[in-house]
Amino acid sequence: MRNLNHIYARRDDAGWAGFWIFAASMVVVVVGWVTATPLTLRHPRVVQRVGAALIGPVERLFEHVDAQPGQHTENDISEYF
């Protein structure tokens, strides 16, 4: 529970707030997936074009952002994954 509270509720306790926010977000994801699946199967090219129109500009902004080899030292690497 403590990790869900850190991630979802910005709290450092063992309460249930983070779990309920997580559960609600999973319900939204499942409802969106169930709703989108028939549309995706019937009109795959439309979904592809709409996705490209929504994501494409942001993707192009970050396409050339890349860490250069040797730019980071051993001290920059975190011990936490």
Side-chain angles (χ1 to χ4, degrees):
M1 289 301 165
R2 182 171 237 129
N3 281 341
L4 286 176
N5 277 337
H6 279 266
I7 296 168
Y8 285 93
R10 295 175 37 190
R11 298 169 80 177
D12 189 23
D13 60 17
W16 287 86
F19 171 78
W20 291 117
I21 296 170
F22 167 74
S25 67
M26 288 299 103
V27 168
V28 169
V29 168
V30 169
V31 167
W33 175 65
V34 168
T35 304
T37 299
L39 177 68
T40 303
L41 292 174
R42 281 190 215 122
H43 309 288
R45 290 294 175 212
V46 172
V47 172
Q48 185 180 26
R49 288 185 191 116
V50 169
L54 293 174
I55 304 299
V58 176
E59 183 181 5
R60 282 189 291 280
L61 282 174
F62 293 102
E63 235 169 32
H64 303 290
V65 176
D66 192 15
Q68 298 297 317
Q71 182 176 354
H72 300 290
T73 65
E74 289 292 322
N75 293 334
D76 294 326
I77 299 172
S78 173
E79 62 188 67
Y80 302 107
F81 182 46

